[in-house]
Amino acid sequence: MAEAVYPVPAAWAANALVDAARYEALYHRSVTEPEAFWAEMGQRIDWIRPYTTVKQTSFAEADFGIRWYGDGTLNLSANCLDRHLAVRGDSVAILWEPDSPTEPERRITYRQLHEQVCRFANLLKARGVKRGDRVTLYLPMVPEAAVAMLACARIGAIHSIVFAGFSPEALAGRIADCDSAIVVTSDEGLRGGKRVPLKANVDEALTHCSGVETVIVLRRTGAPVAMVAGRDVDWHAGVAAQSADCPAEEMNAEDPLFILYTSGSTGKPKGVLHTTGGYAVWASLTHELVFDYRPGQVYWCAADVGWVTGHSYVVYGPLMNGGTTVMFEGVPNFPDPSRFWQVVDKFQVEIFYGAPTALRALMREGDEWVKQTSRASLRLLGSVGEPINPEAWEWYHKVVGEGRCPIVDTWWQTETGGVMISPLPGATALKPGSATRPMLGVQPMLVDNDGTPIEGPGEGCLVIADSWPGQMRTVWGDHERFFQTYFTTFAGKYFTGDGCRRDADGYYWITGRIDDVINVSGHRMGTAEIESALVAHAKVAEAAVVGMPHEIKGQGIYAYVTTNAGIEPDEALRKELVQWVRHEIGPIATPDVIQFAPGLPKTRSGKIMRRILRKIAENDVSSLGDTSTLADPSVVDNLLANRPHLA
Ligand code: ATP
Ligand code: MG
């Protein structure tokens, strides 16, 4: 297949913060003189006491440690708020769009946000929260979620956000894991017109864990909820009694900022800990460069604050950069599949950043839903969370962006704090399906299973050779697990868990999780490629491919396929798809089994949980492992009930 290449549009090359030549020069300097480079980059944020050390890191067992700007002090909420008051206190920081288009939006200026954060920080203090304490946030996508995050940062408390779609059990596990004495929630959440009983979930969670002394309850829908005297506090009544003045605590660069549990695609979620100084530099720098961001531009990252993307690119990155960040409470297809693009038109959004899972869902509904909106304000599109299939990429580019907007396909992880591999819109020619080139200071390496580096074009395990400022510092409460998980598979390197190919242009192509690589008759294949071929078929909406035991080939190919709206799967389609993949990739990729499924098991962040699909394909269904992060467990029952007979 000929690879499509989209050159940098001339206007972008001329006006972007970073063009191709500047990227090459900056990148070279970032890896040859990291100390000097990061000393300079650190100046982009405000420090209380300037740092004199910059990079003190080692991935080797003997002197393992990760410290950035170690003797500097700062406050992240001051960097997001106070520093902007003089220049842009009255510009809009948060532009909030509710679940329902009939409810009014909210526009919150930097000055208003500053005041709300100070009052809420004082309420936390009044409830006994001190520097270093953990605060669990279980909130819908409302501005108060950002207020609560920034209030924690202001007083040096560590926030742990639990996505508001999680069950009481999952919430209880996370409260207990980080020993949190306070939970912030709302009466109910609203998503896609449905009410989610958040306060009732908290009440139930607290019967499974002990130690929580305060629950702060925001009124979102106004539904009556039980309030426990002495424990439960009404948000608005609570803040009304507080002063609007709250000095920002002087934090060390390496003091913890937040804990966030990974999405659990591959196993039990890990409590990822990020610290303050390096994270601040990394989140603000990557946000500015990847989105070519200038204050005044309306920027929308459609992720929930319950995921790391919401931390770094809805709240911290854009606010450190003095931006206007859109927060959206709802879902892409409510009240109809035009919703995203209607919001783009309403707020004149210039930059839109979303996930492939949402794009594939919208693509499935047809182009009309997009075309009935203008989208003339859009200049740049982004993707995050999973490999984006070339088919979905082309649709995003042609239909949503009308061929005008570059797409930044950003590869990164909860663990990395911010974007690691991505195009810069003014610097990088695009190839659909490739995350392209490394961010400044990032040294990706491919190694084979024995850890031998692969030079030039090739395929292997993706590792990162050296530290970057936004790197996680530990797994909460389990430093040994941190070291074991990330630094022992390939000694001295950070192990990402992802497989990757590098082409002759030095472009990186994420092929999926290492665990998902299958070996058919001695040929190693990334499942992402077969999935992309299936999704490229006109009748297929989504596909997930896993390996299955096969007597002759070692491993066979088991494909789960969801068809487009209105298409009834049948035997003829099954045969057609087998031929299609043979034709698109080659006979080696011929699926042995195709199981049609109305839905695939996904995490609540929308990622396909392949380890469950693998177990079903292996006929090992007695222990499906931790399924607590599944969005809809009933999907699994359907898959189990409809397994095709294996020959
Ligand atoms: P867990 O670590 O608990 O299994 P998770 O890995 O899904 O969960 P995240 O940190 O949210 O949790 O996801 C990071 C992973 O998402 C990456 O390792 C990669 O597999 C995938 N990913 C993210 N962005 C991209 C992208 N642009 N292209 C390809 N893969 C991506
Ligand atoms: Mg992961």
Side-chain angles (χ1 to χ4, degrees):
M1 270 188 294
E3 225 168 50
V5 179
Y6 292 81
V8 177
W12 274 92
N15 300 317
L17 292 168
V18 177
D19 64 11
R22 186 159 157 76
Y23 166 73
E24 297 300 342
L26 284 171
Y27 182 77
H28 179 77
R29 179 141 184 270
S30 72
V31 297
T32 53
E33 300 168 51
E35 186 79 18
F37 178 81
W38 288 113
E40 206 175 288
M41 290 298 137
Q43 297 301 314
R44 60 182 294 112
I45 59 171
D46 287 350
W47 297 84
I48 299 170
R49 187 178 72 220
Y51 47 86
T52 64
T53 62
V54 178
K55 181 175 185 289
Q56 297 169 298
T57 69
S58 167
F59 291 171
E61 181 152 21
D63 58 351
F64 182 76
I66 303 167
R67 288 174 64 80
W68 283 89
Y69 308 106
D71 62 351
T73 64
L74 74 163
N75 183 282
L76 200 43
S77 113
N79 268 282
C80 290
L81 302 169
D82 309 47
R83 76 183 309 208
H84 301 310
L85 294 183
V87 201
R88 58 178 69 89
D90 297 319
S91 42
V92 176
I94 296 177
L95 203 44
W96 179 73
E97 175 67 14
D99 183 54
S100 161
T102 58
E103 196 182 330
E105 76 271 12
R106 287 166 65 188
R107 293 167 195 266
I108 300 171
T109 66
Y110 274 94
R111 202 176 312 287
Q112 291 165 334
L113 187 60
H114 177 262
E115 183 189 326
Q116 291 182 26
V117 167
C118 288
R119 284 190 197 278
F120 191 71
N122 283 329
L123 175 60
L124 290 176
K125 284 203 274 192
R127 297 301 298 191
V129 178
K130 295 181 304 297
R131 197 183 162 110
D133 288 352
R134 276 76 58 208
V135 176
T136 298
L137 309 182
Y138 184 64
L139 285 164
M141 274 295 279
V142 290
E144 285 78 5
V147 170
M149 292 165 77
L150 293 163
C152 289
R154 195 159 192 92
I155 62 173
I158 306 169
H159 58 73
S160 165
I161 306 192
V162 179
F163 174 58
F166 277 121
S167 65
E169 292 74 21
L171 172 62
R174 287 158 176 75
I175 292 171
D177 188 79
C178 71
D179 248 322
S180 167
I182 176 162
V183 179
V184 183
T185 190
S186 70
D187 47 10
E188 293 181 316
L190 268 181
R191 266 169 72 85
K194 294 191 195 73
R195 289 161 178 259
V196 189
L198 297 182
K199 173 60 164 64
N201 285 354
V202 171
D203 289 339
E204 194 188 329
L206 296 189
T207 66
H208 303 298
C209 61
S210 57
V212 171
E213 288 154 14
T214 297
V215 177
I216 299 179
V217 185
L218 175 77
R219 301 287 170 183
R220 168 61 187 101
T221 63
V225 291
M227 296 290 277
V228 176
R231 187 194 73 178
D232 298 353
V233 181
D234 179 278
W235 174 306
H236 288 293
V239 294
Q242 300 299 328
S243 146
D245 178 39
C246 175
E249 191 84 9
E250 179 171 354
M251 305 304 291
N252 187 273
E254 285 299 339
D255 281 335
L257 176 68
F258 67 82
I259 298 166
L260 180 62
Y261 293 84
T262 55
S263 40
S265 309
T266 59
K268 188 176 179 292
K270 300 170 272 283
V272 168
L273 183 97
H274 282 287
T275 58
T276 310
Y279 175 82
V281 172
W282 191 244
S284 66
L285 176 69
T286 52
H287 174 260
E288 180 175 335
L289 297 189
V290 170
F291 301 106
D292 194 59
Y293 190 77
R294 264 49 83 84
Q297 296 177 337
V298 179
Y299 157 93
W300 180 13
C301 167
D304 193 282
V305 291
W307 314 120
V308 72
T309 309
H311 285 61
S312 300
Y313 300 114
V314 174
V315 179
Y316 288 121
L319 294 182
M320 272 187 280
N321 290 335
T324 299
T325 185
V326 174
M327 264 182 108
F328 176 47
E329 186 183 36
V331 296
N333 57 359
F334 174 81
D336 63 49
S338 265
R339 184 74 164 124
F340 269 0
W341 323 122
Q342 286 161 359
V343 175
V344 164
D345 285 351
K346 174 173 176 182
F347 293 141
Q348 294 294 292
V349 171
E350 292 183 47
I351 303 162
F352 176 83
Y353 187 32
T357 181
L359 297 172
R360 286 191 301 262
L362 294 178
M363 196 167 122
R364 184 176 186 214
E365 302 294 336
D367 298 357
E368 294 66 36
W369 295 107
V370 187
K371 289 186 172 152
Q372 61 188 237
T373 61
S374 155
R375 287 156 290 110
S377 58
L378 284 176
R379 302 171 54 243
L380 179 63
L381 301 170
S383 171
V384 61
E386 281 182 297
I388 176 165
N389 332 84
E391 176 82 358
W393 195 102
E394 297 282 359
W395 181 82
Y396 200 20
H397 190 257
K398 279 199 188 70
V399 181
V400 176
E402 294 177 336
R404 175 181 77 239
C405 309
I407 296 178
V408 288
D409 174 3
T410 64
W411 175 84
W412 60 295
Q413 308 177 302
T414 309
E415 294 90 333
T416 70
V419 173
M420 299 287 280
I421 303 181
S422 169
L424 302 187
T428 321
L430 308 172
K431 299 185 188 183
S434 172
T436 78
R437 308 280 308 276
M439 180 51 51
L440 306 182
V442 173
Q443 300 182 49
M445 265 178 82
L446 304 185
V447 296
D448 67 15
N449 287 338
D450 307 322
T452 310
I454 297 163
E455 308 293 342
E459 188 170 334
C461 306
L462 177 63
V463 300
I464 311 292
D466 199 359
S467 185
W468 64 98
Q471 182 169 26
M472 75 182 279
R473 300 299 197 260
T474 194
V475 170
W476 179 258
D478 199 347
H479 199 57
E480 184 56 24
R481 185 177 175 202
F482 175 55
F483 184 73
Q484 290 297 330
T485 307
Y486 301 103
F487 304 95
T488 57
T489 317
F490 302 108
K493 311 271 184 295
Y494 170 80
F495 177 48
T496 66
D498 286 345
C500 187
R501 176 165 72 81
R502 184 171 48 219
D503 70 16
D505 296 325
Y507 275 44
Y508 290 85
W509 301 72
I510 306 297
T511 52
R513 317 290 176 132
I514 300 288
D515 297 350
D516 296 332
V517 172
I518 49 184
N519 192 323
V520 182
S521 311
H523 297 269
R524 287 164 52 81
M525 256 182 289
T527 49
E529 189 181 5
I530 309 172
E531 288 163 9
S532 287
L534 285 164
V535 173
H537 188 281
K539 291 181 181 165
V540 174
E542 195 152 45
V545 168
V546 297
M548 58 180 260
H550 192 287
E551 274 188 15
I552 299 152
K553 304 192 234 177
Q555 271 190 307
I557 296 172
Y558 195 121
Y560 298 84
V561 170
T562 304
T563 50
N564 273 324
I567 304 285
E568 254 330 293
D570 58 11
E571 206 39 47
L573 180 59
R574 190 192 309 273
K575 293 209 173 97
E576 192 180 320
L577 291 178
V578 169
Q579 287 311 314
W580 171 265
V581 175
R582 285 177 71 95
H583 176 258
E584 290 285 295
I585 306 178
I588 187 69
T590 307
D592 295 279
V593 177
I594 291 183
Q595 174 169 355
F596 291 109
L600 298 171
K602 292 191 180 171
T603 62
R604 283 163 214 263
S605 56
K607 296 181 194 202
I608 299 166
M609 232 192 241
R610 285 185 182 71
R611 78 187 151 79
I612 292 182
L613 297 175
R614 217 178 295 132
K615 292 245 176 196
I616 295 174
E618 287 165 359
N619 213 357
D620 171 18
V621 296
S622 53
S623 61
L624 291 178
D626 182 5
T627 52
S628 66
T629 63
L630 271 182
D632 177 7
S634 73
V635 166
V636 175
D637 302 331
N638 179 292
L639 290 174
L640 288 172
N642 293 301
R643 279 182 292 168
H645 294 293
L646 302 183

